[in-house]
Amino acid sequence: GVLSMSHKQRINTKSSTEAEVVGVDDTSPQILWTNYFIKAQGYCVGEALVYQDNQSTILLETNRKQSSGKRTRHMNIRYFFITDRIKQGEMTTHYYP
């Protein structure tokens, strides 16, 4: 299935990379819930795929703070929920320009 969302972010961000990390953090619970629901119905579902058009965002999501630069060092650790999900194999990010 495909899940697509669009809504206004609740905070101001300093860069497009930060905005995309916050956006993924906002939608991750819905993506995971949908996957869990489909699995509970008895269907075989793989990991959730998140397509990103920002390679810096993908680096931050997979490596957490280790790949942060000047513009992203201040980011709150709560926005890296996706990093834990990637390490557990529940989600993965792909570059899609």
Side-chain angles (χ1 to χ4, degrees):
V2 175
L3 178 65
S4 178
M5 297 176 71
S6 176
H7 61 86
K8 187 175 179 181
Q9 287 185 346
R10 63 185 184 278
I11 65 168
N12 291 329
T13 56
K14 295 182 179 184
S15 69
S16 61
T17 299
E18 182 180 358
E20 292 203 24
V21 169
V22 171
V24 168
D25 180 71
D26 287 346
T27 57
S28 292
Q30 180 67 34
I31 294 168
L32 291 171
W33 182 89
T34 304
N35 252 13
Y36 296 151
F37 179 77
I38 293 171
K39 285 179 186 177
Q41 302 303 311
Y43 294 98
C44 183
V45 179
E47 60 191 9
L49 300 175
V50 177
Y51 293 103
Q52 291 280 357
D53 63 351
N54 187 325
Q55 291 177 331
S56 296
T57 302
I58 294 171
L59 278 174
L60 274 174
E61 290 168 352
T62 54
N63 299 329
R64 196 175 261 163
K65 291 282 208 176
Q66 291 134 357
S67 21
S68 62
K70 284 192 283 185
R71 292 181 174 220
T72 56
R73 282 191 194 140
H74 67 281
M75 289 180 64
N76 192 327
I77 194 73
R78 84 177 220 47
Y79 295 116
F80 293 98
F81 171 77
I82 189 170
T83 305
D84 297 330
R85 301 294 81 113
I86 289 171
K87 287 182 181 176
Q88 292 177 0
E90 295 179 22
M91 297 179 85
T92 186
T93 56
H94 291 283
Y95 179 64
Y96 191 80

